[in-house]
Amino acid sequence: MSYQFIRPILFGLDAESAHGLSLAALRAKPIGAAKRTDPALQTEVAGLAFPSPVGLAPGYDKNAEIFAKAYGLGFGFVEIGTVTPRPQSGNPRPRLFRLVEDRAVINRMGFNNEGMEAAASRIEAVPRARRRGPLGINIGANKDSEDRIGDYEKAMARLAPLADYVTVNISSPNTPGLRALQDKGALDDLLLRVRAVAPDGPPLFLKVAPDLEPADIDDIAAVAIARGIDALIVSNTTISRPPLQSRYAGETGGLSGAPLKALAQQRLADFRKASGGQLPLIGVGGIASAEDAYARIRAGASLVQIYSALVYEGPFLAQRINTGLLSLLRRDGFANIAEAIGADVD
């Protein structure tokens, strides 16, 4: 059934209820075989093989409910979470808003999730053979934690054995004080301690905010390189507010979708420059088409992730982006994704 037919029904519900309905639909869907992707789209990051560079960003499947089915929608990798050690309900509703006129979303969810044990049990119930690409687990700290870094250590210890990579998320604007962990000293301590929990564990990625000063970017890149981080995810939602048309423009929380695109693209270029190309980058924010994804790749991203655009474009957006990327690669004479990475900046 065409998403354009279903969309008005979903948009008749509040955003969080519509999200829950989409999860229920996917839970009811049998696990299908992922479509074979063209070898030109296959790439490698941190020693992991990605069948396509388009991934499902965390936030959609917070509790590892449908990750095995997402590959069948065209995603080359899936990242669940954010997962905290203990379950938490998050911020009061309403906390998720569609800004239709702006093709954007504002959320102040607050790491609502069922906790690491619930996520772990669901992941353990799915044989690894049913993963058609890498599975990332995005970890965070409980809002009321007295030891934020200790929370990351607990989550790492429990979830690392189940993950193909783990993402340390210090970029959400909806947990008070969390972004302070992007400070150079705090970040160095955090990454040192988390990696020490599983020194032989899966690759460790770091997710950063777009709302950074130049000095912050240089410091984060330097610490990430020094601590052996395997990739940077650039970026999360923004607390900035470009001109918006929607009546929800004044809602507090993180803004994602089309208005974030320019800022996220710039931050990707900034981290490419600050890291000297030493760190693989994953581009996130405002990607809604093959052209958007390709621009991020040419700016230095090895992979991209999408989420907010699915609200407006439907569940098969990843498949369309994959098809479009192939055409763009061929147009520009690239044999594969790897050849296009950083083409506009190197």
Side-chain angles (χ1 to χ4, degrees):
M1 187 181 296
S2 168
Y3 183 68
Q4 296 307 310
F5 177 78
I6 299 172
R7 197 177 99 160
I9 300 172
L10 293 174
F11 278 36
L13 303 172
D14 71 87
E16 190 163 352
S17 295
H19 176 249
L21 183 60
S22 72
L23 283 172
L26 283 171
R27 282 197 300 269
K29 178 182 181 293
I31 297 178
K35 290 188 176 182
R36 293 178 64 87
T37 53
D38 192 289
L41 293 179
Q42 297 170 12
T43 189
E44 183 177 304
V45 175
L48 300 173
F50 292 81
S52 97
V54 184
L56 178 61
Y60 182 76
D61 189 13
K62 287 178 174 288
N63 296 303
E65 298 176 81
I66 56 86
F67 70 92
K69 301 178 180 183
Y71 301 105
L73 299 175
F75 291 103
F77 63 109
V78 176
E79 188 171 324
I80 67 144
T82 297
V83 181
T84 56
R86 291 176 286 107
Q88 63 182 23
S89 58
N91 293 321
R93 296 177 69 164
R95 55 193 179 180
L96 183 64
F97 306 89
R98 300 185 204 91
L99 286 69
V100 178
E101 299 88 344
D102 306 293
R103 300 184 71 78
V105 172
I106 289 176
N107 93 83
R108 51 173 179 266
M109 304 299 287
F111 284 174
N112 59 305
N113 75 107
E114 296 175 10
M116 66 183 184
E117 291 302 332
S121 66
R122 291 192 181 105
I123 296 168
E124 289 167 340
V126 177
R128 279 185 177 262
R130 289 190 177 178
R131 300 182 193 178
R132 305 303 181 188
L135 173 66
I137 303 180
N138 185 297
I139 60 173
N142 284 107
K143 182 178 181 179
D144 61 354
S145 176
E146 295 182 1
D147 180 5
R148 290 266 170 87
I149 295 180
D151 273 15
Y152 286 96
E153 291 175 304
K154 291 174 186 174
M156 183 71 174
R158 180 66 178 98
L159 298 171
L162 307 176
D164 293 305
Y165 70 86
V166 174
T167 297
V168 174
N169 184 1
I170 54 171
S171 58
S172 171
N174 300 315
T175 297
L178 189 75
R179 288 189 174 191
L181 290 172
Q182 294 178 136
D183 175 77
K184 186 175 183 179
L187 179 60
D188 187 64
D189 187 33
L190 170 66
L191 298 181
L192 177 66
R193 288 172 56 179
V194 170
R195 183 76 279 178
V197 170
D200 300 316
L204 192 63
F205 294 1
L206 176 66
K207 185 165 186 172
V208 297
D211 309 306
L212 297 167
E213 297 297 326
D216 299 326
I217 294 168
D218 290 340
D219 286 347
I220 290 170
V223 172
I225 292 169
R227 290 302 175 199
I229 290 299
D230 295 283
L232 279 179
I233 301 178
V234 187
S235 58
N236 208 322
T237 58
T238 180
I239 56 174
S240 67
R241 289 294 183 269
L244 299 169
Q245 301 177 52
S246 171
R247 64 191 176 99
Y248 296 119
E251 294 289 345
T252 59
L255 173 71
S256 59
L260 177 58
K261 180 167 70 172
L263 178 60
Q265 178 95 13
Q266 181 59 53
R267 284 295 167 269
L268 186 82
D270 293 340
F271 272 104
R272 177 78 173 187
K273 181 179 179 182
S275 65
Q278 295 182 62
L279 282 171
L281 304 176
I282 301 172
V284 194
I287 297 170
S289 67
E291 290 75 17
D292 293 339
Y294 190 53
R296 215 62 61 95
I297 290 166
R298 290 184 62 108
S302 298
L303 305 166
V304 298
Q305 290 179 320
I306 59 174
Y307 175 15
S308 296
L310 297 172
V311 173
Y312 299 101
E313 301 294 337
F316 296 103
L317 176 60
Q319 288 184 6
R320 298 197 298 274
I321 291 176
N322 286 335
T323 300
L325 281 174
L326 276 175
S327 297
L328 292 166
L329 288 171
R330 290 167 179 157
R331 181 197 71 187
D332 293 345
F334 295 119
N336 52 51
I337 287 291
E339 290 185 2
I341 295 169
D344 288 341
V345 294
D346 292 344

